[in-house]
Amino acid sequence: MKYFPFFLILLLAGSCAEPAGEADAQLLEPAFDLDSLTEVAARQYAKTLETLPDTNRIPRNAHPDGTWNLVKKGNWVSGFYPGVLWHLYALTGDEKWKEAGEAELLKLDSVQFFDYDHDIGFRIFNSFGSALRFTKDSSYVPVIVDAAKTLKTRYRPVTGVIRSWDWHDQWQYPVIIDNMMNLELLFWAARQTGDAEMETIAISHAEHTMDNHFRDDYSTYHVLDYDTLSGSVREKVTFQGYADSSMWARGQAWAIYGFTLTARETGRADFLKQAQSAADIFLKRLPEDGVPYWDFDAPGIPDEPKDASAAAIAASALLELSQLVEAADDQYRYHNAAIALLNALATPEYLAALPQQGLLLHSTGHKPGNSEIDEHIIYADYYFLEALLRLKELQPPTE
């Protein structure tokens, strides 16, 4: 299989055996106009505002005919649609997105107390957290703090990690790589409340994940099962990937993002190195068009479905990672890789057009479960818009 020019970007930016000097680095420019792409996103979601039924349910994935699959507030993705609206507000300044975002938050009443899985961070920090970030309205703070208190209850000292799921009988104490994404809620709440235990829990979870969840090449396992008595790892398996030994694309993107945010919050070099290592194997193995297949080791490549959501998550994470690394070559390398991912997504192949709704096409939710295959999925749009916002706000490496 051919590798995309991402690998050339890595070489130009100095990831080869003989690193290029700072003067040799080349800054990759977006192949899209940010304002025009924002207009496309606004057009697509304006249609959703017009056609969304008057219901307490929340968009999850859009079908080719333009209809949405709507879910209850307890669904793990319920925070992403409100987050999309808040991102559109931040990108456009248009008050209609703020009003729509506020209306969607009402649908999440009491979700901060839902204690049956780790996804409370996705539900609350991406919705209420985004509202707080873009409005500075302190009335959102108690909801987010309550969510962090709920997440805290899922931690057990014997394992040192936060339990992900309660519903699967085959595991004693399952922990998935996705769980790294919810640590941001704990870090934020620790600063907000002065509850240092929240930060201690987040760091412990990250340390155990760093020690146990990665293979020698820094690809990740999806699910680890811990023994509830000894705290040791019982098995390392997959649930949404192709095989226990394969690199599930979205899981690897979660790892890049999760360790990047943990490095940002702690300032620790080991977490930063873990984020870089997870990113490097992801970028090295990307296919020719730059958008990963749902699993890097899926047996039917190139006839396997893609996962645009993994590309969007990684792009957003890489933009932030480029701001955290010290070496100029690394700054260029991760910034350029993020731009290349966004360039690949910002094309007619991956951008929806009316009557389709949503923004990014060709994501895969749960291939082994035959669910959401080659569809638009809401979290792909959330991280794509987050990446555009970061691109607008962050300072690129200086040439």
Side-chain angles (χ1 to χ4, degrees):
M1 182 188 304
K2 295 180 180 177
Y3 287 133
F4 186 61
F6 284 81
F7 197 56
L8 298 180
I9 292 169
L10 297 182
L11 295 175
L12 284 171
S15 68
C16 52
E18 297 181 2
E22 182 175 351
D24 296 325
Q26 299 179 24
L27 191 64
L28 184 66
E29 295 294 334
F32 54 87
D33 178 76
L34 182 57
D35 291 337
S36 297
L37 190 53
T38 300
E39 290 178 5
V40 171
R43 177 200 69 204
Q44 291 298 116
Y45 274 96
K47 187 65 174 179
T48 296
L49 293 186
E50 294 172 7
T51 60
L52 197 65
D54 184 11
T55 174
N56 283 329
R57 292 183 177 249
I58 300 164
R60 172 168 175 147
N61 55 298
H63 305 302
D65 64 1
T67 60
W68 281 98
N69 176 41
L70 305 177
V71 295
K72 295 180 180 179
K73 63 184 178 181
N75 192 281
W76 80 272
V77 307
S78 62
F80 287 110
Y81 177 62
V84 163
L85 299 175
W86 287 111
H87 282 147
L88 286 170
Y89 172 61
L91 284 163
T92 67
D94 190 332
E95 289 289 319
K96 77 176 181 183
W97 301 115
K98 178 183 177 183
E99 294 170 4
E102 290 171 340
E104 288 299 315
L105 294 184
L106 298 177
K107 298 179 181 180
L108 299 178
D109 175 57
S110 74
V111 167
Q112 66 268 32
F113 303 114
F114 289 9
D115 62 358
Y116 48 77
D117 61 33
H118 70 111
D119 291 317
I120 192 167
F122 283 130
R123 297 186 190 99
I124 295 297
F125 209 63
N126 294 346
S127 55
F128 285 89
S130 295
L132 176 63
R133 175 186 174 191
F134 299 127
T135 68
K136 311 301 181 187
D137 185 344
S138 60
S139 67
Y140 297 123
V141 169
V143 174
I144 308 171
V145 169
D146 283 340
K149 291 178 179 178
T150 301
L151 181 59
K152 181 179 172 181
T153 66
R154 298 192 59 78
Y155 175 81
R156 294 292 180 270
V158 67
T159 61
V161 286
I162 299 165
R163 183 183 177 117
S164 293
W165 297 326
D166 292 344
W167 50 266
H168 210 294
D169 294 337
Q170 77 182 71
W171 298 312
Q172 285 189 20
Y173 196 98
V175 178
I176 60 177
I177 190 63
D178 319 35
N179 207 338
M180 286 295 301
M181 301 292 289
N182 295 288
L183 301 186
E184 190 170 18
L185 172 62
L186 292 177
F187 283 121
W188 175 89
R191 293 194 306 269
Q192 184 69 31
T193 64
D195 183 351
E197 188 179 13
M198 289 187 180
E199 181 174 1
T200 299
I201 289 171
I203 291 173
S204 174
H205 185 96
E207 288 175 338
H208 282 74
T209 301
M210 183 168 60
D211 291 342
N212 299 326
H213 236 102
F214 287 82
R215 305 181 185 94
D216 290 343
D217 65 355
Y218 293 99
S219 63
T220 62
Y221 294 96
H222 181 204
V223 186
L224 262 64
D225 186 28
Y226 285 82
D227 189 290
T228 55
L229 296 180
S230 68
S232 61
V233 176
R234 298 179 66 242
E235 59 178 347
K236 302 180 179 184
V237 296
T238 195
F239 182 68
Q240 290 178 269
Y242 163 64
D244 295 345
S245 60
S246 68
M247 189 165 83
W248 176 48
R250 194 164 72 251
Q252 195 68 21
W254 293 140
I256 300 167
Y257 196 118
F259 278 95
T260 296
L261 75 85
T262 304
R264 178 194 72 215
E265 294 294 334
T266 63
R268 282 179 45 169
D270 55 346
F271 291 145
L272 184 60
K273 180 180 180 297
Q274 200 73 12
Q276 290 184 257
S277 299
D280 290 346
I281 186 64
F282 181 96
L283 295 173
K284 181 179 179 180
R285 296 195 61 193
L286 284 171
E288 187 172 0
D289 78 342
V291 178
Y293 296 95
W294 71 279
D295 191 299
F296 285 90
D297 299 296
I301 292 173
D303 297 321
E304 297 279 353
K306 292 298 192 81
D307 188 4
S309 76
I313 295 161
S316 184
L318 289 165
L319 282 174
E320 181 162 31
L321 184 58
S322 73
Q323 305 292 302
L324 299 180
V325 291
E326 293 186 3
D329 288 340
D330 286 337
Q331 293 172 12
Y332 276 89
R333 180 157 59 99
Y334 295 125
H335 178 89
N336 286 352
I339 298 302
L341 283 165
L342 293 176
N343 284 346
L345 294 173
T347 61
E349 175 69 19
Y350 288 95
L351 289 178
L354 298 176
Q356 296 166 322
Q357 293 202 42
L359 187 57
L360 287 184
L361 304 172
H362 306 307
S363 289
T364 298
H366 183 14
K367 177 66 162 57
N370 197 31
S371 173
E372 296 176 318
I373 299 171
D374 193 26
E375 289 193 356
H376 162 269
I377 307 178
I378 190 66
Y379 47 78
D381 290 0
Y382 177 92
Y383 289 105
F384 185 67
L385 292 175
E386 181 182 74
L388 296 185
L389 190 59
R390 281 180 166 165
L391 183 61
K392 185 176 182 179
E393 295 176 343
L394 296 181
Q395 293 296 317
T398 302
E399 290 188 283

